[in-house]
Amino acid sequence: MTTSINYEDKIPNNVDLSSDRGLQRALEGWQPKFMNWWGEMGPALETHGVYLRTAVSVGRDGWAHFDHVNVPDYRWGIFLAEPKPDRRIAFGEHKGQPVWQQVPGEYRADLQRLIVIQGDTEPASVEQQKLLGLTAPSLYDLRNLFQVNVEEGRHLWAMVYLLHAYFGREGREEAEALLVRNSGSPDSPRILGAFNEETADWLAFYMFTYFTDRDGKYQLGTLKESAFDPLSRTCEFMLKEEAHHMFVGTTGVDRVVARSAQLIREHDTLDIAKHGGIPLDIIQKYINFHYTVSLDLFGSETSTNAANYFTAGLKGRWMEERRKDDHQLTEHGIPLQRPNADGTWTNDELSALLALNLDLRGEYITDCQSGIKRWNKILAEAEIGFTFALPHVGFNRQVGMHSGFHITPDGSIVDAGSWREAAGKWLPTSEDLAFVRSLMHPVYEPGKIASWVAPPTNGINGKPFDYEYVYFH
Amino acid sequence: MDVSFDAHPSTYRHWKTRIEGVIAWLVLDVDETGGIVPGYELKLNSYDLGVDIELYDATQRLRFEHPEVRVVVLTSGKDKVFCAGANIRMLAASTHEWKVNFCKFTNETRNAMEDSAGQAYLAAVNGSCAGGGYELALACEHILLVDDNSSAVSLPEVPLLGVLPGTGGLTRVVDKRRVRKDLADVFATRPDGVKGKTALRWRLVDELAQPRRFEEATRARAAELAARSTRPRDARGVELTPLDRDITADGIRYEHVTAEYDQATSAVTITVRAPRTPAPAALSGLDASFWPLAVTRELDDLILRLRTNQPTLGTWILRTSGDAELLDGYEKLLAGHRHHWLADEILRYHKRVLKRLDVTSRSLIAVIEPDSCCAGMLAELAFAADRQYMLDGPPVGDEDSPARASITLTDANFGLLPMGNGISRLESRFYGHTDHVEWLRKETGRPLSPAEADELGLVTDIPDDIDWADEIRIAIEGRAALSPDACTGLEANLRFAGPETTETRIFGRLSAWQNWIFNRPNASGDEGALRRYGTGQKAIFDRKRV
């Protein structure tokens, strides 16, 4: 077993890389290209040491080590979760058979596609967040941004490792293409639409890490069930890192809401814009936008691809092994509400196998509700009569059966004109975005924080909030 | 439901056409809800027969109505998708004969695109291009692929559907584009296809352009192709006005062509009439009523309708009627102006319609009687047939008439209207007997009597007026008693003697294999790949190789 991480190698790893000279050479060939990419597309703000977490082992405890690291010197590497002895395929037509340690020829193209799409999203968020360091509200937040960035970079490494180790020359070409495509590039954009949008301000960053990274969590969760064991183990470890990104999102929004609540109480008005806070209705509009864009990432309600992946054992359901059914789904059906042109909704029954995207999206929505509950609790404790809500699942959708309909946040189907007229009440307007951007002034002094967000209740790794998380000299 | 092949740009649902000087743009933007029959959605710019009927109409109009057009740019109006090929749910839900007919028609349209008289096709592949979508690009002279690091060309039929690329994909990859067979094998077994530089290196595409340069590169290539064309700069086109036809339960009547059904014998009698008026002196100022164009359009429409809407009428009895001299006037006008764009287009069109007849899976029996006009280009109908019966005697029921059947060979029978195998119908008929063909050439320009035609091997039999009715009846009834499948195979084998070409390989080998595969349980059984496609369940294959 190869569980402890070897930091002696040029590429840190726990896969015994030095015993596979060919693979090692391939990855060492890719490494400088990655560094070039990081130099060009990584954080724009120059720093001299950020208090970062680095994995030291993949086991249950003590896997993280904290120290100040010059960001480009971060030791990106290849870390797989510990193998489970006698792991068996949990679903699909190969259910009960031993998991695969090699890619079956039959599924080579599909697996490669899944890994490339997942891999393409990881560096995309680094590119989307390139400029955020220039407007960080505190050193604590700046440090979190860079932590998220380096871990996204590491997740790219995770996917690249799989491509190099298991997919031959084509895998290496795909690994290189992951660096050639860039978020928002007109000639070579990222594969999924949401990853070509820019993350222009810190509220958007918190929302992105809450909603969009949470989509990532669910996608990784389904790949963790994969019969292809190296993919499963890679994703399992990525999920541990991903948890921190969502922590940044959850507590980030917490702190914005807490600060707004504080300003509302202080000035006894919901209109806190002039006092340097973000009004609750703008926060709600951000929730509406980021939530709906993230829902699009789950794809269409019915998906032949998802069904094929499931049957083949490539991609399972969330918590597949804990579910109590036959794990084949050829005979099952699930209900679905479908919008009609006349403004009504129809109840349909769908084949469960074809509705796997819907299943995963359902899990995701339930999870998103917990954030709303948290944020409402903050408002309730401050005795403010305002509550946040997730909009209807059909609101503002570009993908799937709701696209082409104009659905309000409360689920009414209206005509295009009425929808457009009211859109400014539901989604951030250009004035809202300009206002939030006007608050984005960098605060690089230890212990200080911007006007629009509350300080965190705890620092990192037991350090206080005023700890010098980032060195500039 | 009867399928109509009528279309007009003003009513297209799936194509947008635009003409900019010498360049025509054919933009595929499929209306998902516009399937020709209900039951499926045309997602991702996938096509069905209805989409292809419009494409065929568009290509025909470009040829005849727009002589100024030198390049046709085929591209997609959708973001990131060029064309996903034939719609799979449509294929899975279709009957066997519908699938085969559909494939035949799409193949004929692709072949016609390649038979371009100075109108070169340029595929501007601006997104993913799969299966029939790539086959559409393959039918173009030049393939320009967008190099955005994700758009690929692919032929995923074998790995995803358990069938073959049915529109000449395999054949064109190796025959036309000269892709190495091992690379073609890799390509055709990968569901995800090949993109960018590899596609270029393997010769699957001709050129790459980045998204921001794509339109510019398309225009530059179009301009270059246009510069090579011989199309006239200032000619006036001929508008393809709607065909005048009368459809009843018993047949279809056009101005020059009629079809009469006889359900009892599963036969249809098709009569093609020679022109009634002399040919004009020149090719200027003509419209769609010009006999060679009009008769070709009517015959084309009839063949398509009979093939699609009357699948049980298994025997087509081909007749002609009219004045051979008037016909000859038209032939001389066309042959004498072969370099005139309109004459060239009409001859090519007529050639393609005769090819449609050659590949039609119906028993073709030519009947030559005293009132027939079995001469030159109309005699090709007889030579396209599986058998020819010529009446040796007066017209049936008119013993005193001096009229006798005759066949007149002209230059039109010696290479003006070649078959898909690249040689004339007479050369195919006497394949390997060049001296015989030379002998026939010496007999051109005069009416040959039944006895002479028999001696020259131009007809199967020459019954006299006493036996005629019985002989013809027995021939037709005999045909109706045979297995239609066996007849299809028999005829297809016998019709194409001689050399193989890309076209015969597509229609012969490919169709034969596809026909077989379409009937195999691995593709169309309850657990077959076509049936299981889209359900998320995997096909179950019988692992025996046959």
Side-chain angles (χ1 to χ4, degrees):
Chain A
M1 250 193 273
T2 53
T3 48
S4 68
I5 293 175
N6 176 356
Y7 274 95
E8 299 307 306
D9 281 8
K10 199 167 165 191
I11 299 167
N13 71 91
N14 69 339
V15 295
D16 198 13
L17 190 58
S18 52
S19 74
D20 187 344
R21 298 289 303 150
L23 177 59
Q24 191 178 10
R25 232 185 16 252
L27 284 165
E28 285 178 4
W30 187 80
Q31 195 176 30
K33 291 170 189 156
F34 170 81
M35 293 309 298
N36 282 343
W37 166 81
W38 184 271
E40 258 178 64
M41 305 305 292
L45 180 71
E46 260 193 69
T47 53
H48 291 88
V50 178
Y51 190 67
L52 293 179
R53 167 179 84 163
T54 307
V56 283
S57 87
V58 297
R60 190 174 292 274
D61 29 53
W63 60 280
H65 165 79
F66 287 87
D67 202 356
H68 279 90
V69 179
N70 191 20
V71 175
D73 301 334
Y74 183 81
R75 304 289 320 269
W76 284 283
I78 299 152
F79 317 133
L80 271 60
E82 306 212 24
K84 291 189 187 70
D86 194 33
R87 184 175 165 240
R88 300 273 160 169
I89 299 171
F91 58 96
E93 63 169 14
H94 302 292
K95 182 172 177 289
Q97 297 168 10
V99 291
W100 316 314
Q101 299 304 329
Q102 285 293 334
V103 178
E106 187 185 355
Y107 304 128
R108 187 190 154 113
D110 284 339
L111 271 169
Q112 185 177 305
R113 181 90 188 134
L114 281 171
I115 292 170
V116 165
I117 289 182
Q118 182 61 43
D120 196 65
T121 65
E122 310 289 356
S125 45
V126 176
E127 294 165 352
Q128 288 171 297
Q129 295 155 14
K130 181 179 169 63
L131 298 176
L132 279 181
L134 301 173
T135 55
S138 74
L139 288 189
Y140 166 91
D141 285 287
L142 186 58
R143 177 264 163 209
N144 281 348
L145 170 71
F146 287 150
Q147 184 71 50
V148 168
N149 286 167
V150 294
E151 284 175 356
E152 297 293 0
R154 227 244 0 114
H155 291 181
L156 171 62
W157 271 90
M159 293 295 121
V160 165
Y161 161 71
L162 295 175
L163 289 171
H164 275 215
Y166 297 97
F167 294 91
R169 200 194 47 191
E170 246 183 69
R172 293 202 299 281
E173 285 171 8
E174 290 291 357
E176 210 165 321
L178 290 172
L179 300 175
V180 173
R181 282 187 294 268
N182 290 147
S183 179
S185 158
D187 278 335
S188 195
R190 292 290 168 194
I191 297 170
L192 301 175
F195 291 94
N196 289 305
E197 308 265 352
E198 63 172 341
T199 307
D201 62 64
W202 277 78
L203 183 56
F205 173 64
Y206 296 146
M207 292 291 175
F208 185 96
T209 44
Y210 187 83
F211 287 109
T212 307
D213 278 332
R214 194 166 304 271
D215 157 74
K217 166 183 159 183
Y218 282 87
Q219 300 299 342
L220 290 175
T222 60
L223 294 175
K224 183 176 88 90
E225 304 294 330
S226 181
F228 178 44
D229 202 41
L231 175 61
S232 164
R233 289 171 55 206
T234 308
C235 292
E236 191 173 338
F237 188 71
M238 287 165 75
L239 274 167
K240 293 184 181 176
E241 292 172 316
E242 201 73 31
H244 175 258
H245 307 183
M246 282 172 294
F247 163 84
V248 171
T250 310
T251 55
V253 181
D254 279 359
R255 289 159 50 213
V256 178
V257 174
R259 176 63 179 155
S260 297
Q262 192 187 0
L263 289 169
I264 290 167
R265 299 287 297 177
E266 258 172 42
H267 300 279
D268 196 25
T269 170
L270 283 174
D271 184 16
I272 52 171
K274 54 180 171 289
H275 305 295
I278 302 177
L280 300 178
D281 63 330
I282 294 188
I283 298 175
Q284 176 67 54
K285 291 184 199 178
Y286 269 63
I287 290 172
N288 289 351
F289 175 77
H290 287 270
Y291 171 67
T292 54
V293 167
S294 301
L295 286 180
D296 277 350
L297 290 171
F298 287 86
S300 295
E301 284 72 11
T302 58
S303 166
T304 309
N305 282 343
N308 289 341
Y309 295 153
F310 183 84
T311 299
L314 310 182
K315 191 176 171 184
R317 286 171 295 171
W318 180 252
M319 299 287 175
E320 182 71 48
E321 290 180 42
R322 294 200 200 159
R323 301 212 187 192
K324 305 260 181 285
D325 56 30
D326 67 356
H327 302 274
Q328 313 268 344
L329 306 181
T330 50
E331 313 293 331
H332 301 243
I334 62 155
L336 169 74
Q337 271 216 322
R338 189 185 290 283
N340 299 317
D342 64 1
T344 59
W345 294 87
T346 306
N347 289 312
D348 267 5
E349 173 149 319
L350 266 182
S351 144
L353 197 50
L354 289 174
L356 286 169
N357 285 345
L358 195 57
D359 178 86
L360 190 64
R361 196 181 74 189
E363 297 283 343
Y364 170 79
I365 291 173
T366 309
D367 195 356
C368 287
Q369 287 290 2
S370 65
I372 298 291
K373 230 171 111 185
R374 275 179 84 105
W375 305 325
N376 282 337
K377 193 160 161 253
I378 297 171
L379 294 182
E381 278 168 4
E383 294 174 345
I384 293 168
F386 186 103
T387 50
F388 296 113
L390 290 179
H392 187 271
V393 71
F395 171 68
N396 191 40
R397 296 295 306 282
Q398 312 301 320
V399 173
M401 66 179 185
H402 301 106
S403 68
F405 288 93
H406 297 91
I407 299 168
T408 66
D410 65 6
S412 314
I413 304 170
V414 297
D415 63 87
S418 330
W419 196 93
R420 258 198 309 276
E421 233 169 81
K425 288 191 295 183
W426 302 326
L427 292 170
T429 61
S430 47
E431 290 81 25
D432 295 335
L433 294 171
F435 165 71
V436 174
R437 210 172 295 193
S438 75
L439 298 176
M440 297 294 132
H441 298 295
V443 179
Y444 295 148
E445 211 178 314
K448 294 279 167 61
I449 192 154
S451 67
W452 53 271
V453 59
T457 43
N458 299 302
I460 300 296
N461 192 32
K463 303 284 182 207
F465 173 64
D466 59 6
Y467 181 71
E468 194 172 359
Y469 289 103
V470 181
Y471 299 150
F472 279 94
H473 312 289
Chain B
M1 180 206 72
D2 264 11
V3 173
S4 166
F5 291 79
D6 293 345
H8 188 272
S10 63
T11 59
Y12 289 173
R13 295 187 70 165
H14 310 294
W15 292 89
K16 296 188 170 64
T17 61
R18 191 169 83 238
I19 292 171
E20 293 173 358
V22 299
I23 301 174
W25 298 79
L26 282 186
V27 182
L28 182 61
D29 192 359
V30 174
D31 173 358
E32 282 188 9
T33 61
I36 194 167
V37 291
Y40 49 85
E41 286 184 347
L42 296 171
K43 290 186 186 289
L44 295 172
N45 251 6
S46 60
Y47 58 78
D48 67 353
L49 182 62
V51 177
D52 233 67
I53 287 172
E54 290 181 4
L55 172 63
Y56 177 53
D57 183 74
T59 60
Q60 285 291 87
R61 288 184 194 278
L62 287 172
R63 288 169 183 281
F64 287 99
E65 298 185 348
H66 297 281
E68 78 281 8
V69 166
R70 297 168 161 238
V71 182
V72 184
V73 179
L74 207 66
T75 193
S76 156
K78 299 217 189 289
D79 196 29
K80 294 189 172 179
V81 177
F82 175 75
C83 172
N87 187 275
I88 308 305
R89 289 175 199 276
M90 177 277 290
L91 286 178
S94 298
T95 59
H96 181 72
E97 64 270 16
W98 181 277
K99 285 199 282 277
V100 173
N101 241 323
F102 165 72
C103 287
K104 191 168 278 180
F105 180 73
T106 54
N107 268 305
E108 288 168 329
T109 308
R110 307 300 173 273
N111 286 348
M113 285 163 56
E114 288 176 322
D115 180 38
S116 67
Q119 282 184 345
Y121 278 75
L122 165 61
V125 181
N126 52 341
S128 64
C129 175
Y134 179 54
E135 290 175 306
L136 194 55
L138 281 170
C140 297
E141 197 164 309
H142 189 92
I143 305 177
L144 171 64
L145 173 66
V146 66
D147 190 15
D148 58 3
N149 288 299
S150 62
S151 294
V153 296
S154 63
L155 290 178
E157 285 85 345
V158 170
L160 290 187
L161 304 169
V163 298
L164 300 181
T167 325
L170 298 174
T171 309
R172 283 196 177 88
V173 161
V174 287
D175 258 34
K176 178 180 178 180
R177 302 196 59 88
R178 311 284 162 101
V179 173
R180 250 167 45 200
K181 71 169 181 178
D182 56 332
L183 299 178
D185 183 292
V186 173
F187 175 57
T189 51
R190 290 175 48 146
D192 53 340
V194 168
K195 65 193 176 201
K197 291 179 188 65
T198 309
L200 185 65
R201 197 171 65 238
W202 289 11
R203 314 171 69 98
L204 296 167
V205 303
D206 297 294
E207 188 180 354
L208 302 174
Q210 290 193 329
R212 272 183 298 182
R213 267 205 64 241
F214 192 75
E215 190 175 338
E216 181 194 332
T218 303
R219 286 183 184 279
R221 187 60 58 188
E224 190 195 296
L225 290 169
R228 287 192 231 153
S229 170
T230 54
R231 295 285 278 199
R233 293 239 173 243
D234 48 6
R236 208 170 55 87
V238 175
E239 190 195 340
L240 299 180
T241 47
L243 288 176
D244 195 10
R245 75 173 97 67
D246 179 24
I247 301 179
T248 63
D250 305 324
I252 309 182
R253 306 182 71 84
Y254 305 82
E255 190 183 351
H256 307 291
V257 179
T258 56
E260 291 164 60
Y261 309 156
D262 180 2
Q263 304 290 355
T265 57
S266 303
V268 51
T269 301
I270 297 169
T271 305
V272 180
R273 267 181 298 279
R276 296 185 184 86
T277 55
L283 283 164
S284 53
L286 298 173
D287 60 27
S289 68
F290 182 47
W291 178 82
L293 178 55
V295 77
T296 307
R297 289 183 71 203
E298 290 172 6
L299 190 56
D300 193 16
D301 190 63
L302 178 67
I303 293 171
L304 291 173
R305 282 169 178 270
L306 289 180
R307 279 201 325 211
T308 309
N309 300 331
Q310 302 292 340
T312 59
L313 295 176
T315 302
W316 291 4
I317 300 155
L318 301 172
R319 300 181 71 258
T320 55
S321 77
D323 185 331
E325 265 185 53
L326 289 177
L327 171 65
D328 197 48
Y330 282 85
E331 266 187 37
K332 286 205 164 73
L333 175 68
L334 292 177
H337 293 81
R338 282 183 67 178
H339 299 298
H340 187 282
W341 76 273
L342 182 58
D344 184 37
E345 283 295 5
I346 291 173
L347 286 170
R348 283 171 187 271
Y349 183 24
H350 198 75
K351 170 187 73 178
R352 293 194 298 272
V353 172
L354 287 171
K355 283 187 191 176
R356 249 203 238 288
L357 200 55
D358 292 332
V359 298
T360 291
S361 51
R362 301 289 192 277
S363 298
L364 305 177
I365 296 179
V367 171
I368 305 159
E369 291 172 279
D371 70 332
S372 292
C373 180
C374 190
M377 61 189 275
L378 288 187
E380 286 295 303
L381 291 172
F383 300 142
D386 301 301
R387 296 190 199 171
Q388 301 77 20
Y389 291 95
M390 187 173 186
L391 174 58
D392 185 15
V396 175
D398 189 5
E399 277 174 48
D400 301 329
S401 166
R404 294 294 181 272
S406 70
I407 295 176
T408 307
L409 298 179
T410 72
D411 289 345
N413 305 117
F414 294 89
L416 194 66
L417 304 161
M419 298 175 67
N421 59 9
I423 58 178
S424 69
R425 283 176 189 75
L426 285 180
E427 279 177 283
S428 293
R429 188 178 179 88
F430 299 103
Y431 188 64
H433 299 281
T434 39
D435 52 335
H436 194 106
V437 179
E438 283 316 303
W439 178 26
L440 292 175
R441 208 184 278 275
K442 292 193 188 97
E443 304 294 343
T444 55
R446 69 179 182 91
L448 302 167
S449 70
E452 287 174 306
D454 191 33
E455 193 194 352
L456 287 166
L458 294 174
V459 292
T460 314
D461 197 7
I462 48 168
D464 62 20
D465 56 322
I466 299 164
D467 294 334
W468 177 255
D470 271 348
E471 289 291 340
I472 301 299
R473 180 182 59 77
I474 289 165
I476 294 167
E477 288 181 6
R479 210 65 181 179
L482 300 173
S483 155
D485 297 334
C487 284
T488 298
L490 169 79
E491 292 149 6
N493 270 279
L494 300 181
R495 282 179 197 172
F496 295 92
E500 274 222 82
T501 62
T502 302
E503 210 171 308
T504 59
R505 291 185 58 199
I506 291 170
F507 276 112
R509 281 197 225 175
L510 169 64
S511 318
W513 283 116
Q514 187 76 297
N515 256 296
W516 180 67
I517 293 168
F518 271 162
N519 275 314
R520 300 284 298 168
N522 284 345
S524 53
D526 284 342
E527 296 171 332
L530 272 183
R531 289 280 188 84
R532 284 261 167 115
Y533 180 82
T535 65
Q537 290 178 268
K538 210 165 66 172
I540 294 175
F541 294 136
D542 177 343
R543 290 279 155 203
K544 289 191 292 294
R545 299 281 294 239
V546 189

